[in-house]
Amino acid sequence: MSKAARLRRMAGKLGAPVISQGLTAGTSLLLQVVAARMLGLTEYGAFAVFLAVLVSATALYTGYVGDSLAVLDRRERHTRAALSTSALIALGLSLVIGIGSSLVLRPDEPVVALLYPVMLIGWLVEETFRRLLIARQEFWRLVVNDFAYLLGTFVALGAWYLSARTVTLPMIFGAMGVGTVAAIVTGFGQLPRAELRRLRPGLAGMREVASFAGWRSMHATLRPAALLASRLLVANLVSLTAVGLLEAGRLVIAPLQVVVNGAGSFLLAGFAAGERNGGRDAGKTAGRAAWLLAGVTLVGGAGLALFAGPLGSLLAGQQVDRLLVLGWVIYLGVWAAGLPYVTEVTARKLSRSVFWVRLADSAAGLVLVLAALLAGAPVTAVPWLMAAGGLYSVLRLRALAVRTRKLAPGPAVQLRTDLEATVRIPHV
């Protein structure tokens, strides 16, 4: 096969996953822009906290149930029963968390306490269908599923806006719920009946599932959980309006976040495939990727920070502090620099080691944020301090990656597609 033919084949293979990621990231960004411009800073701050809860629940669920659907033998009877049990437990816990979050943030709005938990459950059920499509390597059907969510969400939100001439928090959650229902119905039509039969919960295979999925899911949850904790600290020690200001700065760098998230998915698949072939050239790949990702993030972020004022007015409806945007650029740059080493070590099935390192950097960042806010520091300091905590993990995981390259590679986690590690989460 000629080089041109191989390039065309690769482009065709990657086209659908890239489009899928673009659809989900674009939908999330549009919803955040609508919320930032239509709700006001205080309401947008509340929306950001609700969204962070959704992101954390999705990361935990997908790390545990979603990755297991792709990696383990989901057709084996005991594994299938254990996955069914795990999914039901996760959905039940998410319902409780959704209700609790609504009662804490919106105690006087029962409609939010109803809509948000239901939307959260629908989101996770929809994610289950997406993961099954990924496991079956049916990426163009995945694109259709993601488009169904986008269409359902914005048709519902547009119809309600035309009727009421305003957008409220319950409207956004209701529209997202309509989108999840559209995607679930689409998923039912896309999957063969064999994937949906024999879903009898059981405990026989729980140990096998937990041994793989436990550390993986906890690692996947750390970053969104740390961001959620930082928002809650700002909300309680400053105000929800301050959370809105914080999130307006993050909104400006949303395009860079999409690039970094996408790179992580491809890197993990590439390192896993490399481990199956002997783990050659992992060091060169990780080093180059780290410099490239960090460079693109910092250079692109500097350009976005330069135009922080007009971009903030466009996306969030108000001017955004340039120092705040630069802080989020540094935070994302540190994350991007460490991402290749995270994926390299994870591909060697060392997810427990990755978890402890990431836990240390998340805790350090949150302690710094807490101390600064108690001392009266401005909210612009939050991303800078979170980035300071992340520097530890970059250095520690790079050292771990270098050390384990010298070991004889064992069998890698069996990721069967280029995007089986993709988690569909909103931009956060």
Side-chain angles (χ1 to χ4, degrees):
M1 184 183 295
S2 67
K3 184 176 181 179
R6 286 197 300 270
L7 288 174
R8 284 196 298 270
R9 182 177 179 181
M10 181 177 294
K13 182 181 180 181
L14 299 180
V18 169
I19 293 172
S20 172
Q21 186 177 21
L23 283 172
T24 55
T27 304
S28 174
L29 178 60
L30 285 173
L31 279 173
Q32 291 185 79
V33 170
V34 169
R37 293 189 64 87
M38 302 295 292
L39 297 181
L41 277 179
T42 301
E43 284 288 282
Y44 179 53
F47 174 76
V49 175
F50 276 117
L51 191 63
V53 173
L54 173 64
V55 168
S56 299
T58 303
L60 182 62
Y61 181 84
T62 310
Y64 201 102
V65 177
D67 283 349
S68 296
L69 285 172
V71 176
L72 303 179
D73 183 4
R74 65 183 182 278
R75 296 179 180 83
E76 196 275 325
R77 183 165 59 91
H78 293 315
T79 301
R80 195 173 185 84
L83 287 174
S84 299
T85 302
S86 300
L88 288 175
I89 292 173
L91 292 175
L93 289 175
S94 297
L95 180 63
V96 173
I97 292 171
I99 294 173
S101 301
S102 302
L103 293 178
V104 169
L105 293 171
R106 283 293 180 270
D108 299 325
E109 293 186 54
V111 66
V112 173
L114 174 65
L115 286 175
Y116 179 72
V118 171
M119 182 275 293
L120 177 59
I121 295 301
W123 179 277
L124 297 180
V125 172
E126 175 195 354
E127 183 61 26
T128 307
F129 283 102
R130 295 185 75 258
R131 297 297 301 190
L132 285 169
L133 291 171
I134 291 171
R136 294 175 59 83
Q137 303 185 47
E138 295 176 345
F139 293 113
W140 285 112
R141 291 191 176 189
L142 183 67
V143 170
V144 172
N145 191 278
D146 292 335
F147 184 74
Y149 170 75
L150 182 153
L151 188 64
T153 298
F154 284 103
V155 166
L157 190 60
W160 289 332
Y161 173 76
L162 291 175
S163 173
R165 293 297 174 181
T166 188
V167 171
T168 64
L169 201 57
M171 282 184 183
I172 293 177
F173 292 150
M176 292 173 70
V178 172
T180 60
V181 170
I184 291 169
V185 171
T186 303
F188 267 112
Q190 291 172 317
L191 289 169
R193 300 284 76 83
E195 293 284 6
L196 305 175
R197 294 194 192 109
R198 298 186 295 111
L199 299 178
R200 298 183 182 90
L203 301 176
M206 288 294 288
R207 178 174 294 182
E208 177 188 358
V209 171
S211 66
F212 165 76
W215 293 107
R216 176 72 174 156
S217 61
M218 288 192 293
H219 168 215
T221 310
L222 274 177
R223 184 166 177 252
L227 289 172
L228 170 60
S230 69
R231 289 170 173 131
L232 292 176
L233 286 175
V234 173
N236 283 279
L237 297 177
V238 188
S239 68
L240 276 175
T241 301
V243 178
L245 287 170
L246 195 67
E247 293 308 304
R250 280 179 58 78
L251 205 55
V252 172
I253 67 163
L256 294 175
Q257 181 75 64
V258 173
V259 173
V260 175
N261 285 346
S265 300
F266 290 109
L267 284 170
L268 181 57
F271 282 125
E275 288 298 303
R276 291 194 292 271
N277 295 324
R280 298 172 185 170
D281 298 325
K284 291 182 179 179
T285 301
R288 290 170 181 171
W291 282 107
L292 179 62
L293 280 175
V296 168
T297 301
L298 295 176
V299 172
L304 292 173
L306 188 63
F307 297 99
L311 285 174
S313 298
L314 176 65
L315 297 174
Q318 67 162 28
Q319 296 280 318
V320 176
D321 191 320
R322 186 174 296 168
L323 188 62
L324 177 62
V325 174
L326 277 175
W328 283 123
V329 170
I330 298 300
Y331 170 82
L332 187 59
V334 170
W335 175 265
L339 188 59
Y341 304 113
V342 171
T343 53
E344 181 184 352
V345 175
T346 300
R348 296 189 181 120
K349 301 174 70 174
L350 300 175
S351 56
R352 181 169 63 177
S353 299
V354 175
F355 168 77
W356 287 115
V357 174
R358 284 299 196 193
L359 179 63
D361 93 54
S362 298
L366 288 173
V367 168
L368 290 172
V369 168
L370 175 61
L373 292 178
L374 289 175
V379 72
T380 53
V382 170
W384 293 90
L385 296 172
M386 296 290 286
L391 287 174
Y392 164 78
S393 67
V394 175
L395 300 175
R396 183 71 183 87
L397 288 168
R398 183 185 181 278
L400 182 60
V402 171
R403 187 170 70 250
T404 54
R405 287 171 200 155
K406 302 173 183 178
L407 303 177
V413 176
Q414 298 299 306
L415 298 175
R416 292 162 46 199
T417 73
D418 285 341
L419 287 181
E420 283 187 359
T422 299
V423 177
R424 183 192 67 113
I425 61 174
H427 164 68
V428 294

